[in-house]
Amino acid sequence: MKQRIITALILAPLVILAIFKLSLPLFIALIAGVTLIGFWEWTQFVETNNRIVALLPSLVVTGLSFALIPFDAYSLNHLSVSHYAVLSAGFIWWLFSSALAITYPKSASLWQGSKLLRHLFGILTMLPFLWSIVMLRAEGVLTDPYHGAKLVLYVCFIVWAADSGAYFAGKSLGKRKMAPHVSPNKTVEGLIGGLITSLLVGWGTAEWFDIEFSSVAAFIAITLITVVISVLGDLVESMFKRVSGIKDSSNIIPGHGGVLDRVDSLTAAFPVFALLYFLFS
């Protein structure tokens, strides 16, 4: 626990600094690097003898996405069909994968024996995460260099708040298990506590950062949907680790495991929030 706290105290300021201070090209390079590590960790879920070979499909698809989807500042502030397509793919994937996690272990029979599907699931997990966080960071960058950074941090704040609220509510009130075969500690009461906490933190953060939503209803709906999917996203990675017999995706972050272990909720939250925010705010 001590090592976990020390690592978090070091990493958190560095993450915030990177979000706000890196230029857009450097930020894109950083997130691409994080995504690459995530893809490498995902090769364990494919269960192959050669992880380098297993990494190649994800690298090819990611490279093609940068060839086909414009990522200059102007294009990222005038989103095209290709931008919305990758966000929509992420949104649909997280709805589908959440259903898989909730119905596990029955759902495992649909994909467990297919390496092709496991490759596809990894791409659908990491690629929309990469593009959604880049699109949010670039939002308004031509007129306000920090507006997009505030949006990125907003998503982080509501997800972290939901995790904390769910932990304490689940510890004190939790009785009804959400998905006992995947994560026995997650409860419906914890989820409700997380949702309430995220709304309070989201409201305070939006006021602080001057983030505008089209209406109060839009703020509530976008925040709640994002948080629910983020909680289910955590269950999805737990499901893949359970099937593959893996405790942590790696040990790259002392006390925290791997990149996938730290961003599992965020990989789900960012595509969902970005799509809803760009469509309805």
Side-chain angles (χ1 to χ4, degrees), residues 27-86:
F27 182 80
I28 293 174
L30 174 65
I31 298 303
V34 171
T35 303
L36 175 60
I37 297 172
F39 276 134
W40 171 252
E41 293 176 351
W42 192 277
T43 58
Q44 299 173 98
F45 301 154
V46 179
E47 296 183 356
T48 178
N49 293 327
N50 192 325
R51 292 181 65 185
I52 295 177
V53 173
L55 183 64
L56 291 178
S58 301
L59 294 181
V60 170
V61 173
T62 303
L64 285 174
S65 75
F66 276 100
L68 298 173
I69 304 174
F71 57 94
D72 59 282
Y74 179 84
S75 297
L76 290 171
N77 276 268
H78 298 81
L79 300 182
S80 64
V81 173
S82 59
H83 294 105
Y84 281 108
V86 72

Side-chain angles (χ1 to χ4, degrees), residues 44 127 141 180 194 205 214 240 270 278:
Q44 299 173 98
L127 198 63
V141 72
T205 303
S214 58
F240 286 122
F270 272 109
F278 289 134

Side-chain angles (χ1 to χ4, degrees), residues 127-253:
L127 198 63
F129 165 74
L130 164 63
W131 279 102
S132 59
I133 196 170
V134 166
M135 289 180 215
L136 286 172
R137 177 61 184 86
E139 172 68 7
V141 72
L142 299 174
T143 55
D144 179 358
Y146 296 120
H147 177 66
K150 292 175 182 177
L151 287 174
V152 172
L153 201 55
Y154 177 86
V155 178
C156 293
F157 278 177
I158 61 173
V159 170
W160 295 339
D163 287 343
S164 299
Y167 175 80
F168 289 109
K171 277 286 186 181
S172 58
L173 303 171
K175 292 182 180 179
R176 300 173 182 83
K177 305 295 184 181
M178 285 180 57
H181 296 291
V182 177
S183 184
N185 294 326
K186 291 190 182 298
T187 63
V188 174
E189 292 81 4
L191 173 61
I192 294 172
L195 292 177
I196 294 171
T197 307
S198 66
L199 277 179
L200 294 173
V201 170
W203 175 79
T205 303
E207 289 291 318
W208 179 24
F209 286 168
D210 196 26
I211 296 174
E212 295 183 357
F213 291 84
S214 58
S215 66
V216 174
F219 155 72
I220 293 174
I222 292 172
T223 300
L224 288 183
I225 293 172
T226 299
V227 168
V228 169
I229 294 297
S230 78
V231 172
L232 294 173
D234 185 24
L235 289 176
V236 170
E237 198 210 344
S238 296
M239 175 183 68
F240 286 122
K241 288 194 293 187
R242 185 173 290 274
V243 169
S244 302
I246 297 169
K247 183 179 184 294
D248 294 322
S249 57
S250 76
N251 58 2
I252 193 173
I253 307 175

Side-chain angles (χ1 to χ4, degrees), residues 116-130:
L116 176 62
L117 285 179
R118 294 192 186 204
H119 277 295
L120 178 61
F121 292 170
I123 292 169
L124 289 172
T125 296
M126 297 307 301
L127 198 63
F129 165 74
L130 164 63

